[in-house]
Amino acid sequence: MDGNNTIEEEIKGGISLGNKSFYTNEDLFKSKLLTNNSKLRMYKTLVRPVVTYTCETWVLKENTKTKIRVFVRKNLRRI
């Protein structure tokens, strides 16, 4: 929480950690040897939990929902 009772910084931090997690495994996500289904399962087990850690305590506004949706779409397009 910051001075304005928002958790924007926590969500931004989670998204940046999710990006780091994605780029750490980028060679696997770009591999032609893996099927799209296995890449999606890897995304759901390796990247998504990093972003949604402590999401039970988040009160989401429209702009934060949009940021999370953009993150998800961006990574799914890369897969």
Side-chain angles (χ1 to χ4, degrees):
M1 288 264 182
D2 63 3
N4 297 330
N5 287 336
T6 61
I7 54 169
E8 293 287 325
E9 294 302 318
E10 181 180 343
I11 293 173
K12 286 180 187 177
I15 290 174
S16 68
L17 288 174
N19 280 327
K20 288 179 186 177
S21 175
F22 182 84
Y23 285 115
T24 301
N25 299 302
E26 186 176 23
D27 55 339
L28 293 174
F29 289 124
K30 288 185 174 183
S31 174
K32 299 291 182 183
L33 300 174
L34 297 172
T35 64
N36 284 340
N37 191 19
S38 58
K39 291 178 189 179
L40 284 175
R41 286 193 346 211
M42 286 176 33
Y43 169 77
K44 289 178 182 178
T45 58
L46 297 174
V47 179
R48 196 183 335 179
V50 173
V51 176
T52 59
Y53 182 71
T54 69
C55 67
E56 298 90 14
T57 61
W58 294 352
V59 178
L60 296 178
K61 297 179 182 175
E62 283 302 315
N63 60 347
T64 55
K65 287 181 187 178
T66 304
K67 288 178 185 179
I68 294 171
R69 284 187 206 124
V70 166
F71 170 78
V72 170
R73 281 192 309 259
K74 179 179 71 170
N75 288 328
L76 291 179
R77 270 188 262 125
R78 287 184 182 144
I79 291 174

